[in-house]
Amino acid sequence: METTQEKEILRGGQFLVKETKCEDVFTPEDFSEEQNMMKEAVMEFNDREIIPHKPRFEAKDFALTEECMVKAGELGFLGVSVPEAYGGLGMGFVSTALTCDYISSGTGSFSTAFGAHTGIGTMPITLYGTESQKQKYVPKLASGEWFGAYCLTEPGAGSDANSGKTTAELSADGKTYKINGQKMWISNAGFCSVMIVFARIEDDKNITGFIVENDAANGITMGEEEHKLGIRASSTRQVFFSDCVVPVENMLAGRGEGFKIAMNALNVGRIKLAAACLDSQRRIVTYGVQYANERKQFKTRISDFGAIKIKLAQMTTNAYAGESATYRASKNIEDRIAMREVAGNTHQEAELKGVEEYAIECSILKVAVSEDVQNCADEGIQIFGGMGFSEETPMESAWRDARIARIYEGTNEINRMLSVGMLVKKAMKGHVDLLGPATAVANELMGIPSFETPDYSELFSEEKAMIGRLKKVFLMVAGAAVQKFGPELEEHQQLLIAAADILIEIYMAESTILRTEKNAKRFGEKEQAVQIAMSKLYLYNAVSIVEGKGKESIISFAEGDEQRMMLMGLKRFTKYTNYPDIVDLRNEIAEKVKAENKYCF
């Protein structure tokens, strides 16, 4: 960790207003020897224990999911992020993301069980538990002797998680709470030993968290396994609590702190979900290109057709961008945790604050990568044509499993609005200076634009200038919206969502370019030629999205001269000096993947 402190670490959301040097981003090419060994071990587990049994998972073999979880526990994979004091491996945040990434692509059923257990099942106790709670529960959860579940959602409380009706009533002697209520969509319910349950005490404004051991004799009953579109062998049930008695010492954190626990657990869950969607994309690209290289129509391999090359290039590019952004943010979180520990915080405090700091990035990643994996699987089916619709090929289950990623850990709509809302709140607290840069952009709109042709001879000089201008689009649109609507901005959801799409594209495109720039400096531009092509293609697509969303926003809340001026600004900020040859870029990416017959970055 010694390298952490020399450079200033950007705070969450500051990527928008401060320049990041490529040397300061972490990339998958920076994995340490230990991380690469972990990656190999996890990939080997996935190839041996999960992928060969895909048909059994699809046939709802819940016992197999549990069996694989036990094996993952024996290999230490369930305890990667758990401190060594509680039986875990105590590895850093990047290793946690990496494990989640490479263990999740065999089937969404196991991926969900793994994510629910290691994330929202174990982590709230690790981060909020008392010493005795941690000693009692965490070692069993880290080893896989016990499995965890997380009971937050109710029939009437989904996105509005704090509106739950489940109650916790203190006994007359003050020694126990009696929990009554109903929870739904509970992952791992069928085989969990312990649950994090959220309930309301009296008329408290906020819910409270409890650690509840799963005991049918203590008023806990389960509904039948849900019949789901995807993740079919992930145990998902309703859980009913009828006078379930819980000792007072099993309250997690303090009374009324449950909502805070739920929100922070979801922040970690969001970036881990992004990681869990990465290797699925790599595999889908590999299956897609292998099929396209073998399949012939009109006496030609379909991989030689331009229509298929578009798909292969886009799928590959989005996977590469997702990796770039996810590992950039994971290392930021790891560095922030280390910094807080050096400053004297406990591991618990450091991890909580470290993740909370990058909540904006966690929401951005959750949205971007979950949508990319869905698009990837959709195009995968298309490459396979009619065969893609058949259960005999891997694409239809990949498509079904991908669909849930846009819903859990907070829907993508909620996460879009959160990302912008949190940024505005950070600005109001003075943690991110949005006002200064937004005012500067507003003044720039009034000035006379420069007509000089800049020198863009250096690699990515034009692309980085473009990223800088896309940030101005966000500041222009969001700044004007905040000025116009003030605290009521939250009620203008369509505007928030459009602004979020601009924010997402900026972070993803910048992460992709910085990764490639760093590697081009290390390994040479020639060696990174295809990565350079992907970075340029991703940015070109991002510019189109920013242009569209910017226009939609401006014409919806501005009028007259203000509207005309902002639209002129939008045009200026999204204009290339030298447009990339998009067909050329796609061909270069597709040809590389075709030649390697797999995702190869």
Side-chain angles (χ1 to χ4, degrees):
M1 296 292 175
E2 4 3 278
T3 57
T4 306
Q5 283 359 114
E6 312 327 318
K7 62 178 194 292
E8 185 208 349
I9 304 170
L10 282 194
R11 297 195 67 155
Q14 280 189 336
F15 70 88
L16 191 66
V17 291
K18 291 199 171 184
E19 193 187 343
T20 304
K21 290 187 167 64
C22 70
E23 291 79 12
D24 292 340
V25 298
F26 181 86
T27 77
E29 291 75 22
D30 293 311
F31 287 155
S32 65
E33 194 179 337
E34 181 188 50
Q35 286 163 340
N36 277 319
M37 282 165 65
M38 192 68 180
K39 174 180 151 184
E40 294 300 322
V42 174
M43 286 170 80
E44 202 238 327
F45 172 80
N46 197 13
D47 286 334
R48 185 184 69 241
E49 302 292 348
I50 310 288
I51 289 166
H53 305 300
K54 190 83 178 270
R56 288 176 62 190
F57 286 109
E58 292 312 308
K60 304 186 182 181
D61 190 336
F62 300 107
L64 177 62
T65 302
E66 188 179 352
E67 200 181 296
C68 289
M69 285 289 288
V70 170
K71 288 176 179 172
E74 287 165 358
L75 291 166
F77 298 149
L78 302 182
V80 173
S81 63
V82 172
E84 291 178 63
Y86 309 108
L89 297 179
M91 294 173 88
F93 202 85
V94 171
S95 298
T96 301
L98 182 153
T99 306
C100 218
D101 175 350
Y102 286 93
I103 211 164
S104 296
S105 63
T107 165
S109 299
F110 177 80
S111 170
T112 300
F114 178 85
H117 170 79
T118 57
I120 50 183
T122 304
M123 195 182 47
I125 307 177
T126 314
L127 296 187
Y128 288 97
T130 61
E131 188 55 35
S132 61
Q133 286 171 345
K134 288 188 287 189
Q135 294 286 1
K136 183 176 180 182
Y137 294 108
V138 177
K140 288 180 177 177
L141 291 165
S143 68
E145 182 187 337
W146 280 18
F147 294 113
Y150 180 84
C151 300
L152 177 64
T153 305
E154 297 183 14
S159 294
D160 184 7
N162 205 26
S163 66
K165 302 279 189 287
T166 298
T167 60
E169 190 186 340
L170 188 62
S171 60
D173 62 7
K175 289 182 179 173
T176 58
Y177 280 96
K178 206 173 266 183
I179 294 182
N180 284 284
Q182 172 188 4
K183 299 289 182 178
M184 69 189 299
W185 308 125
I186 307 308
S187 297
N188 297 354
F191 61 85
C192 69
S193 322
V194 67
M195 300 176 248
I196 310 294
V197 180
F198 295 91
R200 193 176 309 280
I201 302 170
E202 294 171 348
D203 294 326
D204 286 1
K205 181 186 170 200
N206 291 325
I207 50 181
T208 298
F210 295 89
I211 303 169
V212 181
E213 292 181 28
N214 185 8
D215 176 6
N218 185 22
I220 298 175
T221 51
M222 302 276 172
E224 290 298 307
E225 289 287 354
E226 300 285 355
H227 299 286
K228 307 183 294 289
L229 171 70
I231 58 169
R232 287 180 172 174
S234 155
S235 175
T236 313
R237 296 182 172 196
Q238 291 196 51
V239 183
F240 302 90
F241 299 93
S242 177
D243 289 345
C244 173
V245 178
V246 182
V248 288
E249 57 268 25
N250 274 31
M251 182 189 284
L252 198 52
R255 176 171 172 170
E257 304 238 315
F259 186 59
K260 186 173 76 179
I261 296 172
M263 290 305 98
N264 282 327
L266 288 173
N267 286 335
V268 185
R270 282 163 187 155
I271 187 167
K272 287 176 74 177
L273 177 61
C277 293
L278 295 175
D279 199 48
S280 297
Q281 289 180 76
R282 296 185 199 104
R283 282 184 189 272
I284 292 166
V285 170
T286 296
Y287 290 141
V289 74
Q290 287 173 352
Y291 183 81
N293 276 338
E294 284 168 20
R295 173 79 167 160
K296 285 192 172 178
Q297 289 294 279
F298 311 105
K299 296 180 182 166
T300 309
R301 294 187 312 169
I302 65 168
S303 63
D304 292 336
F305 291 122
I308 301 296
K309 287 183 189 179
I310 293 174
K311 298 181 190 311
L312 292 174
Q314 201 55 62
M315 291 156 75
T316 305
T317 297
N318 288 348
Y320 179 78
E323 289 173 350
S324 308
T326 302
Y327 285 105
R328 172 192 184 181
S330 297
K331 183 68 165 114
N332 283 150
I333 291 170
E334 185 172 296
D335 286 349
R336 177 66 61 174
I337 292 168
M339 200 170 93
R340 284 188 162 273
E341 285 182 329
V342 167
N345 284 163
T346 64
H347 177 75
Q348 271 174 298
E349 291 168 331
E351 188 142 334
L352 268 173
K353 292 292 179 193
V355 175
E356 200 179 340
E357 179 65 56
Y358 295 97
I360 294 166
E361 286 81 353
C362 291
S363 281
I364 285 173
L365 287 163
K366 192 273 178 182
V367 173
V369 188
S370 67
E371 292 181 1
D372 283 342
V373 74
Q374 181 85 69
N375 293 336
C376 190
D378 199 68
E379 292 288 40
I381 288 180
Q382 203 68 10
I383 290 169
F384 273 67
M387 284 304 294
F389 210 67
S390 163
E391 287 187 4
E392 285 176 37
T393 62
M395 290 304 180
E396 68 87 39
S397 62
W399 186 87
R400 286 187 290 98
D401 283 352
R403 187 59 188 84
I404 187 65
R406 285 158 53 199
I407 298 171
Y408 56 23
E409 310 291 355
T411 66
N412 283 11
E413 290 70 28
I414 288 284
N415 272 291
R416 277 183 161 89
M417 292 185 285
L418 265 178
S419 62
V420 178
M422 289 188 290
L423 188 62
V424 171
K425 282 198 179 91
K426 274 198 157 198
M428 288 177 175
K429 283 183 184 169
H431 292 174
V432 178
D433 176 20
L434 285 189
L435 189 62
T439 308
V441 173
N443 292 339
E444 189 180 332
L445 291 179
M446 309 288 281
I448 299 164
S450 160
F451 294 105
E452 282 177 33
T453 307
D455 173 18
Y456 285 142
S457 51
E458 199 179 316
L459 175 67
F460 288 141
S461 49
E462 178 160 11
E463 285 73 18
K464 290 198 308 194
M466 177 62 87
I467 295 272
R469 293 198 298 275
L470 296 184
K471 291 177 182 181
K472 289 179 181 180
V473 173
F474 180 86
L475 291 164
M476 173 178 76
V477 170
V482 168
Q483 220 169 4
K484 182 158 187 147
F485 301 114
E488 273 80 64
L489 181 62
E490 282 184 9
E491 290 159 34
H492 296 268
Q493 292 192 350
Q494 294 187 46
L495 272 181
L496 281 175
I497 286 171
D501 282 334
I502 297 172
L503 190 66
I504 288 165
E505 291 307 323
I506 290 167
Y507 188 71
M508 300 301 288
E510 181 180 70
S511 302
T512 308
I513 283 164
L514 291 174
R515 173 188 182 180
T516 306
E517 185 188 11
K518 182 177 187 178
N519 290 329
K521 285 183 177 179
R522 285 195 281 200
F523 311 127
E525 287 183 31
K526 195 173 170 207
E527 207 268 335
Q528 292 284 302
V530 183
Q531 288 90 330
I532 290 168
M534 287 193 285
S535 304
K536 290 182 173 182
L537 178 62
Y538 192 93
L539 178 63
Y540 176 80
N541 292 334
V543 171
S544 301
I545 292 168
V546 170
E547 207 172 354
K549 297 294 177 179
K551 186 175 181 182
E552 178 190 314
S553 305
I554 292 163
I555 61 178
S556 300
F557 73 78
E559 47 195 25
D561 286 346
E562 185 192 19
Q563 187 191 87
R564 269 194 299 280
M565 196 163 65
M566 287 175 79
L567 286 172
M568 277 168 61
L570 178 67
K571 198 171 175 184
R572 192 197 311 175
F573 294 147
T574 53
K575 188 176 182 297
Y576 277 89
T577 303
N578 308 289
Y579 280 94
D581 182 337
I582 294 305
V583 172
D584 222 28
L585 293 177
R586 288 188 193 130
N587 286 339
E588 189 176 351
I589 299 159
E591 290 302 335
K592 174 69 172 172
V593 178
K594 279 166 58 183
E596 298 281 343
N597 207 28
K598 63 177 184 182
Y599 180 88
C600 52
F601 303 101

